Amino acid sequence: MKNAVFFKIYIAFSFIYLLLLYLGYESLDCYLKPALIPLLIVGVYFSKKFPTQNILLTALVFSWIGDVILLFADIAEIYFILGLVSFLISHIIYCVLFNRQIKEKIRKNTIIFIFGSLIIACYLIGMLSVLLPALGDLKIPVIVYASVISVMLLFAYNGLLIWKKPANQYVFFGALFFVISDSILAINKFHMPIQKSSFIIMLTYLVAQYLIVKGILKLNSKKEV
């Protein structure tokens, strides 16, 4: 399939990019980072059409916009805020995307769902308790952002319980890696520096986007993608 070629290029390019980050060549960010998500966008575009394809494409486009804007975050704080807004929109769209997937005739275990929901709520409370003292004027934007990514993870967790395998696992772990990536970014920026933070943030982010895309494609295809 034509789309498979772009996904393979994405994996190869991501590996090279992450290797350069790990070796300390962060100055190459502005040349390499903007080329990554477009490979997923093109791969999704050339996939077999499905009802929520445009929603997935829109989420990826806003993620890409956020990637580009955050390249200038060291210049002025406004770029960090704008990047935050772009990713906030992307996460909201992912919430819509997950909610719009075809529901399998699987009976959800309410107790397991409640237990998982409580864990996600504990994550949100814990993360905000760590970050809030250092946020200053960014308190409200970060609270809103953290809340939205937690809801996004909750939608993915709900899907884990009702969607077909292995697509449900792809999407859930993709959402989980996305939350981990954003959490590391926030801790590194507002709480304490993390060694090799750029590498870890981008590793989890690139894995997250890939898993979500592959999971959604699997959910919407009778054949393995």
Side-chain angles (χ1 to χ4, degrees), residues 194-213:
I194 297 175
Q195 190 174 13
K196 296 289 183 183
S197 59
S198 295
F199 170 77
I200 300 171
I201 291 166
M202 289 308 300
L203 171 63
T204 49
Y205 170 70
L206 294 174
V207 170
Q209 294 281 29
Y210 179 78
L211 289 178
I212 290 173
V213 166

Side-chain angles (χ1 to χ4, degrees), residues 145-189:
Y145 188 88
S147 300
V148 170
I149 65 169
S150 298
V151 171
M152 185 269 293
L153 181 59
L154 183 62
F155 273 107
Y157 178 67
N158 181 64
L160 180 67
L161 302 179
I162 64 174
W163 296 333
K164 65 182 180 182
K165 295 180 180 180
N168 61 341
Q169 298 167 346
Y170 274 69
V171 175
F172 172 72
F173 284 107
L176 183 61
F177 274 115
F178 220 140
V179 171
I180 292 172
S181 179
D182 283 343
S183 299
I184 295 171
L185 187 154
I187 291 172
N188 183 70
K189 182 174 179 63

Side-chain angles (χ1 to χ4, degrees), residues 7-8 23 44 48 51 59 69 81 84 86 113 119 121-122 132 144 148-149 159-160 165 177 192 205 211:
F7 294 140
K8 289 176 181 177
L23 295 175
V44 172
K48 186 177 179 180
I69 294 175
I81 295 173
L84 197 73
S86 293
F113 176 74
I119 292 177
C122 288
L132 283 178
V144 172
V148 170
I149 65 169
L160 180 67
K165 295 180 180 180
F177 274 115
M192 65 177 185
Y205 170 70
L211 289 178

Side-chain angles (χ1 to χ4, degrees), residues 66 69-84:
I69 294 175
L70 287 178
L71 290 173
F72 305 97
D74 292 336
I75 297 176
E77 193 171 78
I78 184 63
Y79 292 109
F80 176 77
I81 295 173
L82 291 175
L84 197 73

